Amino acid sequence: MAFKINPPYDLDWTPVYTTKIEDGALGKGNKNGTILVSDELHPEDKESIVEHEKVHIDQIKRGDLDYDEEAVYWKGKKYPRGKMDEGSPTLPWEKEAYNKTDDYESL
Ligand SMILES: [Zn+2]
C-alpha cells in the first residue's frame, strides 16, 4: 500500500452523530472532538449546525474554550452556567462561531 499523507494533517475527521440531545440543544461540540446534532433537525439545517459546532471544536483544540458541568471557560475566564444564557450570540465563543458561519436561528 503506497498510501501516505503528509503534514499538515488538516483532513476533516470530525465525527458527526445524529442523536437525541438531552437538554434540547440542536447541536453540541464535544471535548473529545465529536459533534452531536439533533435528530429533530431538517437535513438542510444540519449542515449549518455542524459548521457552527466545528468552530467550537476548533476553539477547544486551540485551548480557548473549555467547559464542565458547572461552567464554561473562555480564555481563562469562568462563565458559570447558572448565570449564562447558553447559546446566546453575545457570548464570546458564540460570537466567533456565528461570525464564521451562515446565519441561522439562535442555537
Ligand atoms: Zn454555539
Side-chain angles (χ1 to χ4, degrees):
M1 267 289 271
F3 177 75
K4 188 172 176 256
I5 53 172
N6 297 309
Y9 304 105
D10 58 356
L11 295 174
D12 191 355
W13 289 112
T14 311
V16 177
Y17 301 104
T18 304
T19 181
K20 183 140 230 103
I21 302 180
E22 311 150 20
D23 59 9
L26 297 178
K28 218 166 207 166
N30 288 320
K31 283 202 270 192
N32 63 7
T34 61
I35 290 172
L36 305 181
V37 286
S38 167
D39 58 2
E40 286 162 38
L41 284 168
H42 292 290
E44 61 264 31
D45 294 330
K46 226 176 244 183
E47 208 169 313
S48 50
I49 308 266
V50 168
E51 287 307 309
H52 178 102
E53 297 306 327
K54 272 184 185 168
V55 177
H56 291 320
I57 300 283
D58 178 59
Q59 293 166 337
I60 291 166
K61 282 184 181 164
R62 65 176 200 238
D64 284 343
L65 182 66
D66 193 12
Y67 62 84
D68 56 29
E69 299 274 285
E70 184 199 341
V72 177
Y73 306 87
W74 174 253
K75 297 187 173 177
K77 200 174 165 213
K78 185 174 174 177
Y79 295 75
R81 288 187 186 272
K83 292 186 202 157
M84 179 173 57
D85 181 13
E86 262 179 79
S88 164
T90 59
L91 295 165
W93 56 94
E94 295 297 350
K95 213 179 264 178
E96 182 185 336
Y98 283 93
N99 284 343
K100 285 187 175 168
T101 55
D102 295 336
D103 289 341
Y104 57 91
E105 293 301 303
S106 180
L107 296 176

